[in-house]
């Protein structure tokens, strides 16, 4: 059984039956999964959900494949950490970090891939494919291996070595294209036309893929005892994750699973949660449009250490802008130095090692707190979406912090007794 109502065009509202389709045949608008909320409301019950698996599939009623076998490595149900020490450093009284570094292949992409490949298998596909900035490649290759699908992933030149090797290990094909992500994405659009029997998770299966990000909203609400945060900070690459976190919160309010925050109405047109977006200055097309009060996201050529967010022509950039503006959030872009500082700050206050995308989120959070765009009393969640072990290059100069000592007791004791030069206190 499925509560999927249709694939609905975001622009003209035309509806299409379930299938591997991502764009409206009339207006080329993107398609989105819509549900029969009346029918599924009986299953959207906190006790029922709590009795489900400790994975994103506890919310299966609100996902495109409510029943049947799942393609799962156990993604989701990651910790929501009450970040007291980071909050103190930033002057925020109720801060949480959603620690998605702990997913099976180390990034939030495991959520969207689990949902997309579950649908792909139900639709009869035998090959999983994708265009990736790195994390998606890891996740598609791993989930395909575990579910007996073949995989073909296309990546741009110059990704972090770890992300490439930890994709290849799963045994699928890895094609490194001589170009950037936007070249790879365009190619995959064309390939999806030619290889109609391949499931490109973020092309022809994109409507299903995108739904997986809603679980980032569902889990936060459940982990907060079925209540909402005031404000969340989300990294932006294509913008899909950000728009679906908003959709997830709105579904929870619509189904009565959570009450609106004090001061907001149930049908508040601005939406239930303020959503702020985070980009790297070296790839900030959406933040630039926001700053310029423009509706047009002008493509850029990415140049930043935050490679997982390096999408110069974001498919959902326009919709991400709409969500941020409607909910009263902000969109900021931070420098590579701020990204490195963000990685260190999170590591040194909370013991969580994030990749560069997490550095973007924490640096943006720090900026918004500093500017007063996030108030000290707000209940804030920062989404930390990828594991630092994947982007160790970003911290290369950290090797200078390691102290070289001889192997005798005297030498080690002497080193311990001498304070480390230039070491900042925390
Ligand atoms: C892909 C990715 C994102 C952003 O995803 P979009 O939905 O494309 O905006 C954020 N963080 C990490 C670590 C990612 O790999
Ligand atoms: Zn349309």
């Amino acid at each position: 059984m499925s509560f999927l109502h249709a694939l609905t065009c975001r622009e003209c509202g035309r509806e299409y039956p379930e299938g591997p389709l991502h764009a409206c045949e009339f207006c080329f608008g993107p398609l989105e999964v819509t549900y029969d909320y009346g029918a599924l409301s009986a299953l959207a019950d906190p006790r029922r959900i709590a009795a489900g698996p400790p994975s994103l599939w506890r919310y299966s009623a609100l996902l495109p494949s409510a029943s049947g076998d799942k393609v799962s490595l156990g993604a989701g149900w990651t910790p929501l950490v009450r970040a007291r020490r980071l909050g103190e450093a930033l002057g925020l009284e109720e801060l949480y970090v959603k620690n998605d570094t702990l997913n099976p292949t180390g990034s939030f992409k495991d959520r969207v891939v689990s949902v997309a490949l579950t649908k792909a298998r139900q639709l009869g596909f035998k090959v999983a494919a994708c265009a990736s900035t790195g994390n998606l490649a890891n996740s598609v290759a791993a989930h395909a291996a575990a579910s007996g699908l073949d995989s073909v992933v296309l990546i741009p030149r110059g990704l972090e070595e770890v992300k490439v090797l930890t994709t290849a290990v799963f045994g699928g094909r890895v094609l490194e294209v001589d170009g950037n992500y936007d070249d790879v994405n365009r190619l995959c659009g064309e390939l999806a036309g030619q290889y109609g029997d391949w499931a490109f998770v973020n092309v022809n299966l994109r409507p299903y893929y995108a739904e997986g990000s809603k679980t980032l909203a569902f889990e936060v609400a459940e982990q907060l005892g079925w209540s909402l945060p005031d404000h969340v900070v989300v990294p932006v690459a294509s913008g899909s994750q950000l728009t679906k976190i908003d959709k997830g919160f709105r579904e929870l309010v619509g189904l009565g699973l959570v009450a609106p925050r004090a001061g907001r109405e149930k049908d508040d047109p601005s939406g239930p949660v303020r959503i702020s977006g985070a980009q790297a200055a070296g790839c900030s097309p959406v933040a630039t449009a926001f700053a310029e009060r423009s509706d047009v996201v002008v493509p850029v050529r990415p140049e930043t250490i935050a490679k997982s967010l390096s999408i110069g022509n974001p498919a959902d950039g326009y919709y991400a802008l709409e969500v941020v503006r409607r909910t009263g959030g902000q969109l900021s872009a931070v420098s590579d130095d701020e990204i490195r500082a963000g990685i260190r700050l999170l590591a040194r206050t909370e013991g969580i090692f994030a990749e560069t995308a997490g550095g973007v989120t924490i640096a943006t959070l720090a900026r918004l707190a500093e500017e007063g765009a996030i108030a000290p009393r707000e209940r804030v969640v920062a989404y930390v979406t990828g594991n630092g072990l994947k982007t160790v290059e970003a911290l290369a100069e950290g090797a200078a912090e390691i102290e070289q000592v001889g192997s005798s007791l005297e030498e080690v004791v002497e080193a311990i007794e001498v304070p480390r030069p230039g070491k900042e206190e925390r």
Side-chain angles (χ1 to χ4, degrees), residues 285-286 288-290 292-299 317-318 321 325:
V286 189
T288 301
F290 183 81
E292 294 175 350
R293 298 173 194 278
S294 166
D295 277 342
V296 182
V297 177
V298 180
Y318 170 82
L321 264 181
R325 288 196 175 121

Side-chain angles (χ1 to χ4, degrees), residues 61-109:
L62 284 153
L63 294 170
S65 306
S67 57
D69 285 349
K70 310 296 191 269
V71 172
S72 176
L73 295 171
W77 203 238
T78 58
L80 182 70
V81 177
R82 177 79 165 87
R84 285 203 171 75
R85 281 170 46 76
L86 178 60
E88 216 168 280
L90 301 179
L92 298 174
E93 290 175 20
E94 193 181 356
L95 174 66
Y96 299 83
V97 167
K98 182 61 170 164
N99 185 2
D100 248 29
T101 71
L102 294 177
N103 276 309
T105 74
S107 87
F108 104 96
K109 290 295 195 304

Side-chain angles (χ1 to χ4, degrees), residues 114-126:
S114 180
V115 173
L117 291 188
T118 294
K119 184 55 72 181
R121 218 169 47 176
Q122 288 176 354
L123 294 172
F125 286 98
K126 302 280 188 292

